[in-house]
Amino acid sequence: MKVFKFLAPLLILLFLLLGNLAVPRMHRETEFLMDTVITVTAYGRHGKAAVQEVFWRLREIDAKFNAHSEKSELAKINTAPENTPVSVDKEVFNLIKSAHIFSTAAEGLFDITLLPLNNLWGFGTENASVPAENELKNTMASVGFGLITLDAENCTVTKHKAGVQLDLGAVVKGYAADEALRILKEAGVESAYLDLGGNVAVMGGMPQSLWKRIFSGQKTRPFVIGLQEPDAPSGTAIDTLSLTDGFIVTSGDYERYFEADGVRYHHILDPKTGQPAQSGLRSVTIVSENGLIADMLSTALFVAGEKEMPVLYDLCRQVITINDAMELTYVK
Ligand code: AMP
Ligand code: MG
């Protein structure tokens, strides 16, 4: 009886230990890239090598698309004179082309040439301020996706006005998330969770401990992702979403903003006015099987607002494949 008294806790401990050992190893790395904190978590024995490969790729994407780095492919276009075809890397060309097609579909709501406006407002810098009306008007003159043409055969971009500058801030993180999941899958990772500054990508579901597997009969369970409550400290969830495979992308007015005279000026601009979009929404979240489309759509739908959303959605459907499984949720 005495022996049992000692053995019982030991057995329970062993039982719990074995149960947890049966959970695949986890590898997690965090790095600041694309102007945001990126965390990649992968489970299983391929995890470490795969996560390192993902970061190698994310650094490459960041280097090519960073509009604020002089050495990027984007800077080559942004500093080029007008009416001069600029030859760019094929990957860069293809992403600009996809975003240009989307800009056309979402005309007036989404535009990849907003960098001059973004710089004028100074979002994310210490010099953020409300521009004077004439400054805004002058800057607007070099904004518009119609001011660039693309030549797919030669992979060139031509600006038709001096001062036109591309900003793929609403596009690159979604594309990077697509690339990250592709790399993880190819490396043999079965379960992973990525956080790209609030944009989440998951695959395979969250591995369960042995006990949970026994009791639920499931090897994994969906990842639970919190949706940020706009005015609460970062990490406070207003709601949660469960997802096994796919992307959850949010555009919100709380992500980057400054306040002047009691007014909040946020980073998602209405291309028609050059001012922060005033659609009455605080955030738009898309759940999708495609990170790039989710990223572009979340920004455009934020600008569109609740009433115009169905119209924009239908317009976009005409040029891009929107999977029927796509879900949309928003905060007013
Ligand atoms: P997101 O957080 O994905 O909604 O993207 C916001 C970023 O996209 C901003 O920081 C700008 O760089 C850029 N952006 C802002 N407004 C627009 C817009 N209407 N269309 C396209 N890009 C935009
Ligand atoms: Mg976006």
Side-chain angles (χ1 to χ4, degrees):
M1 205 58 185
K2 238 181 187 177
V3 176
F4 184 73
K5 235 180 174 178
F6 280 113
L7 260 181
L10 266 175
L11 280 174
I12 290 171
L13 202 70
L14 197 70
F15 212 50
L16 289 172
L17 206 67
L18 282 175
N20 279 321
L21 281 180
V23 177
R25 233 177 301 166
M26 178 194 88
H27 185 76
R28 173 176 292 159
E29 284 184 31
T30 297
E31 202 168 314
F32 189 84
L33 285 168
M34 299 174 202
D35 231 2
T36 196
V37 179
I38 299 182
T39 301
V40 181
T41 307
Y43 297 87
R45 63 198 162 91
H46 304 294
K48 187 171 179 189
V51 170
Q52 284 169 352
E53 204 184 325
V54 165
F55 273 107
W56 185 85
R57 181 77 178 108
L58 295 181
R59 278 181 227 119
E60 183 181 57
I61 293 174
D62 191 27
K64 284 185 187 183
F65 290 99
N66 187 343
H68 301 286
S69 153
E70 286 170 18
K71 290 189 198 139
S72 72
E73 289 288 294
L74 224 54
K76 259 167 60 179
I77 302 168
N78 289 349
T79 54
E82 61 190 304
N83 300 324
T84 311
V86 182
S87 156
V88 289
D89 169 291
K90 195 162 181 45
E91 179 183 29
V92 173
F93 182 86
N94 286 340
L95 191 58
I96 293 175
K97 191 170 157 221
S98 300
H100 195 260
I101 291 171
F102 187 82
S103 298
T104 316
E107 186 168 359
L109 300 169
F110 190 90
D111 199 305
I112 52 167
T113 63
L114 294 182
L115 189 64
L117 276 175
N118 210 341
N119 288 340
L120 180 70
W121 284 91
F123 294 112
T125 72
E126 283 171 10
N127 306 319
S129 63
V130 183
E133 222 167 280
N134 64 326
E135 279 181 312
L136 198 64
K137 210 175 141 210
N138 289 343
T139 308
M140 287 288 280
S142 51
V143 166
F145 61 88
L147 296 171
I148 61 166
T149 47
L150 307 176
D151 175 353
E153 213 168 291
N154 299 305
C155 276
T156 60
V157 179
T158 306
K159 307 193 301 194
H160 297 289
K161 198 159 195 183
V164 172
Q165 292 185 312
L166 304 190
D167 171 5
L168 297 181
V171 180
V172 172
K173 277 192 276 168
Y175 173 69
D178 282 326
E179 281 297 285
L181 281 203
R182 179 185 64 75
I183 289 167
L184 291 167
K185 269 183 205 145
E186 282 176 11
V189 171
E190 287 176 8
S191 284
Y193 181 101
L194 282 81
D195 185 339
L196 293 94
N199 287 354
V200 172
V202 296
M203 60 181 254
M206 171 98 169
Q208 301 247 66
S209 69
L210 184 63
W211 313 122
K212 285 191 182 150
R213 274 191 230 172
I214 291 169
F215 291 121
S216 68
Q218 311 272 320
K219 248 177 103 177
T220 61
R221 63 166 173 76
F223 288 101
V224 179
I225 296 109
L227 296 185
Q228 176 65 35
E229 177 163 357
D231 289 322
S234 174
T236 313
I238 192 169
D239 201 356
T240 56
L241 292 170
S242 297
L243 191 66
T244 300
D245 284 290
F247 303 84
I248 298 187
V249 178
T250 300
S251 287
D253 70 357
Y254 52 84
E255 289 170 332
R256 189 163 292 178
Y257 66 91
F258 66 89
E259 277 171 355
D261 297 328
V263 181
R264 172 187 294 222
Y265 297 92
H266 63 80
H267 71 312
I268 304 175
L269 299 171
D270 181 341
K272 288 191 204 116
T273 63
Q275 310 253 8
Q278 289 181 324
S279 60
L281 298 181
R282 302 299 314 275
S283 70
V284 173
T285 300
I286 308 273
V287 184
S288 166
E289 290 176 3
N290 184 308
L292 170 62
I293 289 175
D295 199 2
M296 298 192 293
L297 255 186
S298 65
T299 309
L301 289 171
F302 180 94
V303 181
E306 195 177 20
K307 246 172 96 189
E308 294 302 317
M309 272 182 188
V311 182
L312 173 63
Y313 209 70
D314 284 344
L315 283 173
C316 293
R317 264 182 190 282
Q318 291 171 25
V319 294
I320 54 172
T321 313
I322 297 182
N323 194 292
D324 287 332
M326 186 177 278
E327 283 173 47
L328 160 76
T329 158
Y330 51 88
V331 180
K332 287 198 269 185

